[in-house]
Amino acid sequence: MLTVNAYAAVSPTEPLVPTTIERRDVGPHDVLIEIKYAGICHSDIHTNRGDWGPVTYPMVTGHEIAGIVTQVGSAVTKHDVGDRVGVGCMVDSCGECRYCLAGEEQFCVKGNVGTYAGIGKDGLPTHGGYSTHIVVTEAFVLSIPDGLALDVAAPLLCAGITTYSPLNRWGAGPGKKVAVVGLGGLGHMGVQIAHAMSAEVTVLSQSLKKQEDGLRLGADHYYATSNPETFETLAGSFDLIINTVSAVIDVNAYLSLLAIDGALVSVGAPPEPLAVNAFALILGRRSFAGSAIGGIRETQEMLNFCAEHQLGAEIEVVAADQINEAYERVLASDVRYRFVIDAATLS
Ligand code: NAP
Ligand code: ZN
């Protein structure tokens, strides 16, 4: 066992505190990673605060991990000491079911092992990236291409893949009109990726405060959803809308912005239900769908795509003792556009 420094939630309501956790010994197929950066995803906040149900404390979240390999197990073939690597939202899965075999481990029928709030094959609770080191089975360790700096790459491991996957699946590309709802961590990656896929991109944000940034990130248009005229102007316009909002939105209002056969894909995961009016779907043959991160193969494809297109997250690097303040700013939609923890400050 390796004892490492970490930052943990101790209850749904108290601030996160410094602590230590145990990492397992490096097994034959394992990789030990010295974490350099860990992004702060809104899912970390939902989890720590019990939004999605009760969790066990202390809880070390963080599933946007970038670092360097410092040790490999005897049977490891995919990675070497010194490699630049990443770990996202999963650290294991059964490896045998139809979804694992298809490279869609996020849908493993036995349940993938979450990077945090999961139970590893050793029966112990998993702990995430707000820590200095992590031990992960090699199949769930991604390679970070040379062209991507580790700090801007870390958020790609969740925010990047969670937007890349539905954009890919629903065919964002030339001639397609794509809207991204919410310009936060996921949203700002969605805009960059959809633009790089050559779609016509519109941001639907609560206000016009971040308009300049949105256009710089690759959006062609930017609208405030607080202005009711937006919904009149854009009615029936989009082929695809990616909803990244962490709170409940009026889904039916957004469905009315879809063209016939358009799809609204929710990746935002508020704890409360999203209510759909059947007629909002029926009267336009529209779809309302969801999407969960992406498989390991697609995550590597996304990292390579981002390197090729020179895309990364826009980040604000924070020290460990600024995590609680960063949480408050994320909750206030005051993030431009991902907080990333400098793991050296956890020591
Ligand atoms: P974030 O950085 O907080 O961004 C969310 C954005 O939504 C905000 O920046 C804000 O954008 C908008 N927003 C927030 N509250 C709103 C409200 N009450 N009404 C309308 N818009 C609001 O969060 P994130 O890290 O991108 O995560 C977003 C959501 O995706 C979370 O629920 C997270 O748990 C979920 N998630 C899902 C997956 C998956 O696999 N499906 C993976 C990762 C995260 P504007 O200021 O531009 O309006
Ligand atoms: Zn996440």
Side-chain angles (χ1 to χ4, degrees), residues 40-44 46 52 63 89 158-159 162 181-187 203-207 210 222 225 243-249 254 266-270 291-293 330-331 333-335 337-338:
I40 295 179
C41 177
H42 207 119
S43 301
D44 303 348
H46 286 308
W52 294 335
H63 56 205
C89 304
C158 175
T162 302
V181 190
L183 194 67
L186 267 56
V203 174
L204 301 172
S205 181
Q206 293 168 93
S207 72
K210 297 179 275 191
Y222 201 105
T225 52
N243 166 31
T244 75
V245 175
S246 48
V248 171
I249 58 163
Y254 289 88
S266 256
V267 291
S291 186
I293 47 171
V330 171
L331 289 166
S333 300
D334 176 24
V335 49
Y337 283 85
R338 202 53 139 187

Side-chain angles (χ1 to χ4, degrees), residues 44-302:
D44 303 348
I45 305 177
H46 286 308
T47 303
N48 281 328
R49 303 204 169 181
D51 286 356
W52 294 335
V55 291
T56 308
Y57 298 99
M59 165 66 55
V60 177
T61 52
H63 56 205
E64 295 186 333
I65 298 168
I68 305 284
V69 175
T70 54
Q71 192 185 333
V72 294
S74 54
V76 168
T77 55
K78 203 176 144 196
H79 302 287
D80 253 323
V81 171
D83 282 2
R84 305 161 77 251
V85 292
V87 178
C89 304
M90 307 178 276
V91 287
D92 217 338
S93 71
C94 83
E96 293 167 353
C97 73
R98 56 193 282 214
Y99 300 111
C100 286
L101 292 175
E104 302 242 64
E105 301 87 350
Q106 73 275 32
F107 302 126
C108 174
V109 296
K110 293 190 180 154
N112 71 69
V113 179
T115 303
Y116 58 76
I119 299 290
K121 282 183 179 158
D122 53 7
L124 298 173
T126 55
H127 290 296
Y130 299 4
S131 61
T132 56
H133 297 77
I134 189 167
V135 177
V136 180
T137 189
E138 65 168 328
F140 284 78
V141 177
L142 287 304
S143 298
I144 296 183
D146 283 341
L148 288 174
L150 291 183
D151 53 358
V152 302
L156 301 179
L157 276 302
C158 175
I161 183 59
T162 302
T163 48
Y164 179 89
S165 184
L167 287 167
N168 209 12
R169 171 159 288 268
W170 274 271
K176 289 289 169 77
K177 293 188 176 186
V178 174
V180 175
V181 190
L183 194 67
L186 267 56
H188 95 292
M189 286 315 309
V191 168
Q192 294 185 75
I193 293 168
H195 175 69
M197 289 174 169
S198 303
E200 182 178 334
V201 184
T202 299
V203 174
L204 301 172
S205 181
Q206 293 168 93
S207 72
L208 295 179
K209 271 193 290 197
K210 297 179 275 191
Q211 181 171 20
E212 214 173 284
D213 290 348
L215 298 177
R216 178 173 49 76
L217 289 165
D220 301 284
H221 318 281
Y222 201 105
Y223 289 88
T225 52
S226 54
N227 180 354
E229 277 176 27
T230 292
F231 290 88
E232 288 165 31
T233 311
L234 298 176
S237 316
F238 299 109
D239 300 298
L240 174 63
I241 301 176
I242 307 285
N243 166 31
T244 75
V245 175
S246 48
V248 171
I249 58 163
D250 178 356
V251 175
N252 301 306
Y254 289 88
L255 285 169
S256 76
L257 305 185
L258 288 172
I260 307 302
D261 288 326
L264 167 57
V265 182
S266 256
V267 291
E272 304 83 11
L274 294 170
V276 180
N277 176 343
F279 287 101
L281 301 174
I282 291 169
L283 298 176
R285 204 164 52 202
R286 298 173 176 125
S287 309
F288 179 50
S291 186
I293 47 171
I296 293 298
R297 191 184 54 229
E298 194 178 30
T299 305
Q300 189 63 58
E301 180 185 304
M302 174 277 307

